Every structure is written in C-alpha cells, then in structure tokens.
Amino acid sequence: MAGFRLFDLNEAQREAVTTTDGPLLILAGAGTGKTRVITARAAYLIAQGVDPSAILAVTFTNKAANEMRERLATMIEKEQAKKVTMSTFHALCVRLLRSGIDRLGYKNNFAIYDDSDQTGLIRKIITRTAAKDEKLDHNIAKNLISKAKNNNWDAPTDDKTLIGTVFARYQAELKKLNAVDFDDLLVLAVRLLDGHPDVRARWQERFRYLMVDEFQDTNKLQLQLVTLLSSEERNVAVVGDDDQSIYGWRGATVENLKRLPADYPRLKVIPLEQNYRSTGSILRAANAVIANNPKLYEKKLWSELGAGDPVRVIECDNEVHEADRTVAHIESIRGSSNAELRDFAVLYRANHQARVFEQALRKAGIAYKVSGGQSFFDRAEIRDLCAWLRLIVNGDDDPAFLRAATSPKRGIGHQTLASLGTFAGRWKASLFEALFAETLDTALPRRSIETLHEFGRTINELEQKARETTGEAAARAFLLAWLKDIGYEQHLHDDADSPPQAAARWTNVLDFVDWIARRCGGSGAAATGDEVAAKSVLEVAQSISVILSMAERGDEQNVVTLSTLHAAKGLEWPHVVLAGVNEGLLPFRGAEGEEEQAMAVRIEEERRLMYVGITRARATLVVSTLARRKRGRETVAGVPSRFVAEMKLAEEGVRVDPRAQLRALRDAAARRAEGARADAPTQ
C-alpha cells in the first residue's frame, strides 16, 4: 500500500478519510480533491480490516467510476481494489435487479431498451393509439414518461388522455417483452428493496460501507435507493456541494442535501475548502457570486496558488465579435506562453451559442471539439456530405460508400448493399471496387447493378471535377451544382419533421459549402498569417477524414473545448472564457408569467451554474458580455448579467475592457451634459 499515505492529505481531508463510523456529509467545494478523498477513504477502511467487498461507492458517470477505480488500484493491492464495488447508479440497479427482478414479475434475463429502442416502441404505440385528429410528438411523450417514472408514478389504468394511454401501453408492452428502460432500472430497484425486506437485508449485509459522490445531483428515487441500502449502522458517507447543484431540470434536488440532518440525526459535516485548482482572484470572484445564494452549509474556497491574473470582463459588439475576440485571446496566450489548444475552453449557457464559435475557429484553422451539444461535423447532413467527399478521395472507404449511396436515396436498398457486401467480402475487395466486377451479375439482379453503376459513374465524374476545380468562387459553384444534381435540398425537406427543420439543415449545408470554398481559395491561413496557394476541392476533401477523426476523438486530441456549462461540471482548464454572460442567457430567460417563487429558485440555480463556470478555470478567466445579442430573429440590446456585478471585480483591481471604460466615460459625460441643460435657466 505504498501509494496510500494519510500525510498527503490536508487536515479536513484527513478527517473525512478517517471518519468511518456513522453518517457523514463531506461538503466538497469545487477543486478540493473529493475524488482523492473517496478513494483514500476506501483504502483506509481496508487498512482498518474492512472486507473490500463490503464497500460500495456510487457515482453518476462511468468515467468517474473508472477514475476512482484506477486511483484506488494505485493505493492498495490491485486484487483488493477489484473487490470494491465502484459503480454508477444505473449499473448498481442492474446488479440488484439481475438477482431479484423475478419478485416483480419479470425474468432475470431482462433486456434493457436504449434511447432508440424506446423511441421506436413509443412511435409504434402512438401510431396505433392516436385517433385521426390526435397528435403527439414521440419525443414529448418519451420525456413525459421519463418524468413520471422519476417521480415514481404508476402508469394510469383508466386514463382518458392520449399520453396516459401511451404510457400505460408502453409499460405493458415493455413487460410483455421482458424489457426495461433506463428509468425503470431505478424505479424497479427501489420497489424491489422497499417491498421485499429479505432482499433489502441481503444487500445491506453485503454493503456495510456506502459512499455516494455528487450527492447534490441525486433525485428523489436515488435518495430512496441510498436510504434503502443503508444498514442499521448507517455507515453512509455522501460527498456533495449545494453550491454546485445545477441539474434541477432533470429531477435533481438540493433538497436531498437539506434533508440529511433529519434522515440521519447523528450526521457529521466536514467541509473541504482548500482549492487545489484555481488562483486566488478566480476563487474570490466565485465566492462573491455564490454568497448571494442562501446557504445550507457554510463554506468558502481558498487557495495557496497565489492571486494569479485578475479576472477580465470584456464587452463585445455582438456574437460574431465575441467569437473573433475569443479566437484572438486564444492566439495571444499561445503566442506568449507554451499553452496548447487543449488548455482552452469556451463555456456558454445554451447549445445554440456554439455555432458562431465553431465558425470562427474553423476560419482560423484552430481544431476544436464540442461537449454537451452537437458539433457542426456531427450533424447528419454534414456527415452525409463528408461521406461523399471521403469516397471521392478513397474508393476503399466502405463506411463512406454505404452512407453516400443512401443519402439521398437513389434506389439502392439495404438488401442490395448487403448482397454487394457479401460479394465484396468473398473477393476481398472494397464495395466500390466490387461495383464494377464482371461477375457481379452472379450476386445481384440486372436492375440493381445498373443503379449501382450509375452511382459509381457519378462518384468517378465527381472525383475528376473536384480534381480540376480550384479557387474559392469555382469551388462554391461546383459544390452547389453537385448538391443540385443529387437533389440534396429536396432530400432534406423529405426527411425533416418540419419545414423550419429542413431550412435549418440546409443552412448548415451552405455553411459547409462556404467553409470548403474558403479553404480552396487559400484563405485557411488566418491562424498563421502566411500566404497559402489556392487548392482544388479534392485537396481540401483529403483533409475531411482528419477533421472528422479529430471530432470523434476529441478527448485524446490537442483541441479547444466548446462546452455548455452543464457539460463542463467536473472538468477544468488552465484558460477559460465564459461567453454570453448576459441577462436572458445567464441567467437564462424564464417562462412568461413565471411566479416570483419559481423565479427565485431558478435564479439561484443559474447562479450556481455561473459559480460552476468560474471554478472551471485554473489560471485565467475571461467573462464576456454582449452589447447586442440575437433573440430569435431579432437583435436586442444586451444587458450584462447580474452575476458580473456580483463578482465584485472592481474591488479586486480587475482589468476592465478599455472599450467599456471609454463607453462609461462617454455615458457619464452625456448625463452631465443633460443635467446641465436641465438646470439651465429658461429664456
């Protein structure tokens, strides 16, 4: 156990690790080493003679569970570490149900329906159930059913509404198929433990020591599960932070933290306040913001890392200007230090804010990935067109062939492609190569072969034209003509759920065309300032596979991260830009007619989101606001978020945007002039 040393821990961490009996709340602020404490606590328990298999640590993501497992293996013998159960909530529920779901009328070899399975089943039930004049969107139905399950509501037995009937039939169909969905895993595990004392006693006896990570993110069902698994000794340690409770929209409730003293009267609370991530100026801004929320438990982050660079607040004209200034900021830091692209993150409140940053980064030739939303290159329409371009570059790219041949539809069905695949496999050839084989008529009927040959000729002609087309204007004309020839715009309208969706997807396609055309014109050198010769469409297409590979393996790549604030929780970067910190974005605009109490709760959660964003930064933090911003199809005046003032940066000698400073002086002068006119005697 050479890797396990208590003296490496600070005083509060050491107390949390060595407090092993009775209920415990470890109040872990951002960057205070909670994962280290959880794993050290497991190691300490084993060192005290506790059977490793009696320890259970539960968290929310596989990534977090794997990280804890790997850390523990460096602290104790690997064989002992393997015996400790470190699991997500859902994986734990699967384990409970595999050995006891028969008590609830299912077979133990039940199937688990994923998102697409759920969608398919709900679509089918709506089609069968809805009357001619009734409509119900399958995604809305799925979300309502999920919400009902997370509140532990039963499906109605005599409901007169369409959604109630769909919910009931969906549950009945799942049970008939001996299947459950992800929400059922929690619901059924709680019912199993609650309704069968012998099963509950068996699992309580098995897990004598229970630890729960990110407790502020638990919902009511997860709290019930933890309570039911707690043995009489109540050796339960939960790690949480009320200041980071940001998932109220998906059922998580900070009330679970508030209830702990009532549920566990002997509860001991140990706050972890020493931050090992951020500089003093960043932490002072975070503490100042979150101080405006009511406190469940007192806690104030501090650091020994020094004051560091002041937090900067900048005002930008609009979203495009904000993205351009962000790119300039990234390039400035890289130019003056050894910072890599992976050291930068741009964080924002809503997914739609990513688009303009993607455009600016692509224009500058800076690689990036999108977390918590859909990257430009992940959109189905962009994937379709990339498949065509990949295929003209490399005829042996079978996945690209399969996608291009069916997007848009051209009379090449799945059966034809399956037969072509079998034929190609027999001769160890690519699909494109097999297309023109003389013996293909032994595997496919003449009509199918003619359709395949037509597609093959289209690819060959496209490759030749792409090789010959150079320069921005010519590339744009060529690409638009190609899209018209294959009927891609009509394909989007035929495939979309609504005309606005088709229009939005076509806009993405046009953006893609512009991006390729600019690169053909040699304008992709914005990041270096060097002159780059014009390229052919084929040369640009050769880089598509590299770009897609980067998007798919973003975690392993040296790229800038674009992320929603929700998806950024638990992560950190040396350099962070918080973008669009305006009223209506952060805090997000509430619903029309929102009641005062609901608004107060919403603002508190939005403030916690701001706190999470600030505490992602290690060395530098830029907070960016907009003078004008888009709201729907309108452009409206931008109002800086109330959270900017709450950071109290003026007291810290913050670096103020000179443009904003000049504007403030100008406005003050205008007010003085107006006052002078008002005080002037009338003639």
Side-chain angles (χ1 to χ4, degrees):
M1 296 207 310
F4 172 52
R5 301 178 300 189
L6 279 176
F7 63 79
D8 283 347
L9 305 172
N10 65 40
E11 187 178 339
Q13 289 175 331
R14 191 158 49 248
E15 185 182 7
V17 166
T18 57
T19 301
T20 58
D21 296 327
L24 172 67
L25 167 59
I26 303 169
L27 196 64
T32 56
K34 67 182 179 62
T35 304
R36 186 184 186 193
V37 167
I38 293 171
T39 49
R41 197 169 185 276
Y44 180 78
L45 284 166
I46 293 166
Q48 300 304 302
V50 173
D51 182 350
S53 62
I55 301 170
L56 168 64
V58 189
T59 188
F60 278 83
T61 66
N62 286 315
K63 182 179 177 182
N66 290 335
E67 184 183 348
M68 288 194 293
R69 205 173 288 118
E70 288 166 8
R71 284 204 192 190
L72 185 61
T74 66
M75 295 179 173
I76 61 175
E77 294 174 10
K78 287 186 178 179
E79 288 307 310
Q80 285 189 309
K82 286 179 184 177
K83 295 177 183 178
V84 177
T85 301
M86 291 183 161
S87 163
T88 64
F89 273 100
H90 287 96
L92 174 64
C93 290
V94 171
R95 186 171 182 176
L96 299 177
L97 293 172
R98 285 292 181 207
S99 64
I101 199 172
D102 55 309
R103 303 285 194 98
L104 304 176
Y106 293 79
K107 295 175 184 174
N108 287 339
N109 64 341
F110 59 89
I112 302 172
Y113 268 34
D114 63 17
D115 191 69
S116 61
D117 295 328
Q118 281 181 269
T119 300
L121 181 56
I122 289 172
R123 271 181 188 269
K124 185 169 70 173
I125 291 170
I126 290 173
T127 301
R128 289 177 181 172
T129 307
K132 284 185 180 180
D133 59 343
E134 285 186 307
K135 287 186 178 179
L136 177 61
D137 181 270
H138 61 274
N139 285 317
I140 292 174
K142 187 170 69 173
N143 290 337
L144 289 172
I145 290 170
S146 177
K147 185 176 181 180
K149 289 186 178 186
N150 278 290
N151 281 291
N152 209 7
W153 298 337
D154 288 318
T157 54
D158 58 350
D159 199 88
K160 300 294 170 76
T161 65
L162 178 58
I163 179 59
T165 304
V166 169
F167 182 13
R169 293 190 181 182
Y170 171 70
Q171 279 308 104
E173 188 73 15
L174 279 179
K175 193 158 189 180
K176 189 170 114 181
L177 294 165
N178 194 42
V180 299
D181 60 28
F182 279 101
D183 293 317
D184 285 329
L185 293 174
L186 268 168
V187 171
L188 296 176
V190 166
R191 290 183 188 175
L192 176 65
L193 294 176
D194 192 36
H196 299 274
D198 59 320
V199 176
R200 182 168 69 249
R202 186 168 75 247
W203 286 106
Q204 286 179 347
E205 182 62 30
R206 168 67 193 277
F207 296 126
R208 308 292 294 181
Y209 293 87
L210 175 58
M211 291 182 280
V212 185
D213 190 17
E214 304 284 13
F215 193 74
Q216 76 280 349
D217 294 337
T218 55
N219 60 27
K220 291 177 182 177
L221 273 175
Q222 287 157 336
L223 175 63
Q224 279 183 271
L225 184 70
V226 171
T227 304
L228 289 165
L229 283 171
S230 303
S231 62
E232 287 184 9
E233 292 90 347
R234 299 295 202 198
N235 294 326
V236 182
V238 302
V239 183
D241 180 7
D242 51 319
D243 292 335
Q244 295 188 74
S245 179
I246 60 172
Y247 295 114
W249 50 275
R250 71 180 188 195
T253 173
V254 75
E255 293 298 316
N256 286 356
L257 273 173
K258 193 182 289 187
R259 282 185 50 178
L260 280 174
D263 290 345
Y264 301 97
R266 294 190 298 121
L267 181 73
K268 182 173 183 177
V269 180
I270 300 174
L272 304 182
E273 298 173 296
Q274 183 174 358
N275 177 284
Y276 293 92
R277 174 189 301 162
S278 306
T279 61
S281 61
I282 292 169
L283 293 182
R284 281 192 293 274
N287 286 332
V289 167
I290 206 64
N292 293 277
N293 268 6
K295 288 286 186 183
L296 290 182
Y297 304 95
E298 281 303 321
K299 178 181 84 288
K300 192 170 185 179
L301 298 181
W302 59 276
S303 169
E304 292 182 341
L305 298 176
D309 288 351
V311 175
R312 290 178 58 204
V313 177
I314 62 173
E315 184 184 58
C316 304
D317 293 338
N318 53 36
E319 290 88 349
V320 173
H321 184 223
E322 179 178 51
D324 288 342
R325 289 193 74 175
T326 298
V327 169
H329 171 68
I330 291 169
E331 291 180 336
S332 172
I333 290 181
R334 289 182 70 207
S336 61
S337 69
N338 60 356
E340 298 186 82
L341 292 178
R342 63 168 59 90
D343 295 331
F344 296 88
V346 182
L347 309 181
Y348 38 79
R349 176 63 176 82
N351 285 318
H352 73 266
Q353 292 172 263
R355 184 188 186 99
V356 69
F357 290 103
E358 288 196 73
Q359 290 171 336
L361 290 166
R362 287 199 303 273
K363 184 178 176 182
I366 295 176
Y368 67 89
K369 66 172 181 175
V370 178
S371 298
Q374 188 179 43
S375 167
F376 181 78
F377 291 104
D378 284 335
R379 288 171 161 77
E381 57 273 18
I382 305 304
R383 288 277 179 179
D384 287 348
L385 304 186
C386 285
W388 280 81
L389 296 175
R390 283 164 51 199
L391 189 58
I392 68 171
V393 168
N394 176 16
D396 293 335
D397 190 336
D398 284 351
F401 181 99
L402 291 169
R403 184 154 195 153
T406 56
S407 304
K409 295 180 177 65
R410 55 195 317 112
I412 301 175
H414 294 297
Q415 187 56 53
T416 297
L417 291 172
S419 299
L420 179 65
T422 302
F423 178 83
R426 189 159 61 241
W427 293 102
K428 294 183 171 54
S430 69
L431 294 173
F432 191 75
E433 189 181 2
L435 227 165
F436 297 103
E438 292 182 3
T439 55
L440 186 58
D441 58 1
T442 62
L444 286 165
R446 174 55 50 192
R447 174 180 269 182
S448 296
I449 292 174
E450 288 173 356
T451 307
L452 285 168
H453 281 176
E454 182 187 347
F455 174 64
R457 284 191 294 271
T458 299
I459 294 296
N460 283 332
E461 290 170 7
L462 194 65
E463 188 268 344
Q464 186 60 39
K465 289 179 184 175
R467 187 185 300 279
E468 297 168 352
T469 303
T470 304
E472 184 172 347
R476 183 175 286 104
F478 161 71
L479 293 167
L480 291 173
W482 160 54
L483 293 171
K484 185 176 181 181
D485 286 344
I486 66 174
Y488 197 76
E489 185 175 10
Q490 186 58 51
H491 160 70
L492 292 180
H493 281 277
D494 293 341
D495 195 51
D497 291 334
S498 66
Q501 185 189 64
R505 294 178 68 186
W506 180 244
T507 298
N508 291 334
V509 169
L510 296 179
D511 284 350
F512 185 60
V513 167
D514 283 342
W515 178 72
I516 294 177
R518 283 197 303 271
R519 291 175 77 89
C520 289
S523 58
T528 62
D530 298 331
E531 289 296 324
V532 176
K535 297 178 181 178
S536 71
V537 173
L538 189 67
E539 286 176 298
V540 173
Q542 287 167 347
S543 66
I544 294 290
S545 293
V546 177
I547 291 166
L548 287 177
S549 174
M550 227 161 23
E552 288 166 357
R553 297 185 291 116
D555 286 344
E556 307 161 24
Q557 297 293 316
N558 186 22
V559 298
V560 173
T561 297
L562 303 179
S563 176
T564 62
L565 286 162
H566 284 99
K569 186 169 176 291
L571 304 175
E572 60 184 76
W573 296 268
H575 309 289
V576 169
V577 175
L578 284 186
V581 187
N582 284 70
E583 292 292 315
L585 286 172
L586 182 65
F588 208 66
R589 190 179 180 190
E592 288 292 331
E594 184 179 34
E595 293 182 3
E596 190 174 336
Q597 185 176 359
M599 184 179 7
V601 170
R602 177 176 59 81
I603 294 297
E604 285 174 17
E605 180 155 324
E606 294 288 308
R607 186 175 285 114
R608 293 194 290 269
L609 200 54
M610 178 73 176
Y611 173 82
V612 165
I614 294 170
T615 54
R616 298 312 93 197
R618 286 162 49 189
T620 72
L621 174 66
V622 172
V623 177
S624 176
T625 69
L626 302 168
R628 293 185 301 278
R629 69 179 185 86
K630 285 188 176 179
R631 189 171 68 194
R633 296 184 179 181
E634 303 181 282
T635 297
V636 299
V639 179
S641 169
R642 68 196 72 186
F643 303 146
V644 175
E646 289 176 0
M647 287 192 291
K648 298 184 178 178
L649 296 178
E651 299 172 13
E652 303 297 332
V654 65
R655 255 182 270 169
V656 179
D657 179 3
R659 288 155 28 89
Q661 202 167 30
L662 287 171
R663 189 178 290 110
L665 291 170
R666 182 197 64 203
D667 292 346
R671 284 194 298 273
R672 284 195 300 272
E674 185 65 32
R677 282 195 296 272
D679 293 337
T682 56
Q683 298 297 325

